[in-house]
Amino acid sequence: MHKLLVFFVLVLVNSHINSQECNITFKGKITDFHDNSSIVGASVHILNSKKYTSSNFDGEFEFKNLCTGKITIEIKHISCETKRVVVNLTEDTFKAITLEHHEEELNEIVVTTETKNEKTSIEQTLKKEVITTFSDKNLGDALNTISGVSSLNTGNSIVKPMIHGLHSSRLLIINNNVRMFDQEWGDEHAPNIDINAFDRIDVVKGANTLKYGSDAVGGAIITKLRKYALIDSIFGSTTTSLNSNGFGGNINTELIKSYQSGYYFRFQASLKKFGDFKAPDYNLTNTGIESINASLRFGYNTYEKGFDAYYSFVNNKIGILRASHIGNVNDLVQAINSLEPVFIRDFSYNIDVPYQNINHHLLKVEAFKRFQNLGKLTVQYDMQLNRRQEFDLRRGNLRNRPVIDLQLFTASLQPDLEINSIDNFKINTGLLLRFQQNNPIVDIGASTLIPFYNKYEAGIYGIVNYTIDETSSLNAGIRYDYSRIEARKNYFQSDWSLYNYDVLFPEFDTGVVDGIELETRPKFTFNNISTSLGYEKKLNKDYAFLLNYGLAQRMPNPSELFSGGLHHSAARIEIGFLTIAKETANKFAISIEKNNENFGFSVSPYYKQINNFIQLIPTGLRTTIRGAFPIWEYNQIDARIFGVDFDVNKKISSKFKYTGNLSLLQGDNLTDDIPLIHMPSANFSNRITYYNEGFYKLKISLHQRTVLQQNRFPDYNFNTFNPTTQQQVFVDISSTPPAYNLFGINSSAEFHPFKKGSMLVEFNIDNLFNVSYRDNLNRLRYFADELGRNYNLKIKINY
């Protein structure tokens, strides 16, 4: 019986084996994703089997005698991304397979092409090493090391970048491919960006920024994150920084997990805290800062397709120098004439009024797909929510309420198509749809500086990059933007008539009157055209010539149109006008560069002609129930800005290197034949660096920076009546402080105390000789000196 059972089992198994067809042939052809050329010698393996083969001269391969069912094919080739394909075999099958042939070489070509495009715009880059040095500072401080870049400061913690004398709405700040919107119109509104979150920062001084917007009159600042290798890995770093000035510092950590399949995850967070900072001779009361930042990134990246999801959060609480809060005309005159602040207290970590509290949320989701014989399609959706609160000295039940409370919501949809299937041509075209809403919190017991508004935007652009030959390339682009803004704002009836709005804009008048105020609904539409043209020529292996031209148009921002009240953190009354029109700028830039192992330099002259240039200038003084404040009004003129940036580097020996830069700039108000306000003065810097690769990668740098006095400035001084002294007083708000010269030391060494990873130790000294000075571009220069000496210890652990 037992033998009979075994016999029947063997018959059934044999029947099953014979019933499963194992005579199927699977053929395939492997070609290059870009040009459809055959890939020879690719290794082809059926996983979980011993069946191997390789592609022949025509890229073809073949497997015979396969059984029905699913199989997984793995294809490998030198310098290619390994690819796996699942095939369900039911009959003889053929499948075409594409690989990214020589992926590393092609990625290098892509990077070079992008660099050329930005190079025609005169671009400079801050890499991760420099960003780490400024980990406890801010974006503006880091960018100040680049020629042609300066900053407009409000004290020491609010640093607003300037490129060639232009800032705020004239600069595009791109956060991981998202254009930042964070009430950037204010002079004392620093970008809400944590520089620790990025691996690279590009500064584009020219005109080739059409992909991001038409209104980059000044240029663009582009922060970038790196791509991760397709390997199973986990790595990260933690940086701790301690400072003597302000008795604070920051800690930043990041962790990255990548997978061979293409998935990746990144977490980054930083915490910064400082107390009152110190000038060489006194404390700067109420200048502390508290900052919490975090970002999350998750995505999937292969050559043919992928996605990237990114979220960042920034929370900054920034103290404003207490001595800058003026109460009457006498306070302002006394502050200007005094050698030290009129309000000085002992060191404290407490941040009291006046101060700013800003929260910024950013969410981006991006997906891309490459199409054979066409290019790459990317679709991005992003959202931002910015809340800005400004607190001032108030009494009673208003003490804990902000005097300004603004919520700005922005959402954008941007499809982008990059066509690279045409020899020597690369075409980039895309669309923009954007909605923005400013929603001020009205229950603050004060008038709203910026009113409620909705803003609608649509844009389209096209950019062509043409490689003429091995030594020269051409870049050209055009962009059109439509913008519509709809606001709700109350005006005093007397002001509505005074500004002639009842004649110019009767359609905005709703007829609703609340006491002495008139409710209005301003609506404006703008159409902007921008173009760019760039040319690069390599003269030989060391020299290159770059030429760039750009036309940029910028619609007035909400502050320039609607401001009408006391801007407390700026300590002034700001007035905008509905008659402000859009700006039109023509920009020209040239650069001649030499770069080799031993010596390099660049000379980059530029010229900008800006018609209807919008400026904010002082016009007088007004006394309110909160005190006496200068009045600043927006107006329009024709302007001209021109200058030149010099950069040089020299390898002195195998261990010593010199770098230096010089920036010269002149800004002219052509309408009134006077200098432009708030233009950076001539400045230069020098750095000598010692580097010993064999001794713990020891690096020691001595750096020097000189800023000359700005002797070209408009005279906006005025006389006013002082009710305290019952006399006319002269208020000098235009004269500039003298030149200053600063020295500093940077040093670092790398150790390996662990089996894996490394530890970088930095020791830096800023303002080495504890110089007392004031900067023309610091809005609080009337009230206090700049920071004194600072010792900084930084430890970064890579793991």
Side-chain angles (χ1 to χ4, degrees), residues 618 713-717 731-736 776 781-782:
F713 56 88
D715 183 359
Y716 291 122
N717 299 324
V731 184
D732 182 0
I733 61 173
S734 299
S735 297
T736 59
N776 175 52
R781 63 183 171 87
Y782 308 114

Side-chain angles (χ1 to χ4, degrees), residues 118-148:
E118 295 173 346
K119 267 292 190 182
T120 56
S121 290
I122 322 300
E123 174 224 346
Q124 289 177 275
T125 297
L126 293 182
K127 296 184 178 179
K128 189 65 174 179
E129 177 184 359
V130 178
I131 294 173
T132 299
T133 300
F134 289 90
S135 63
D136 49 3
K137 294 183 172 63
N138 54 52
L139 179 67
D141 291 323
L143 296 177
N144 264 331
T145 60
I146 294 178
S147 63

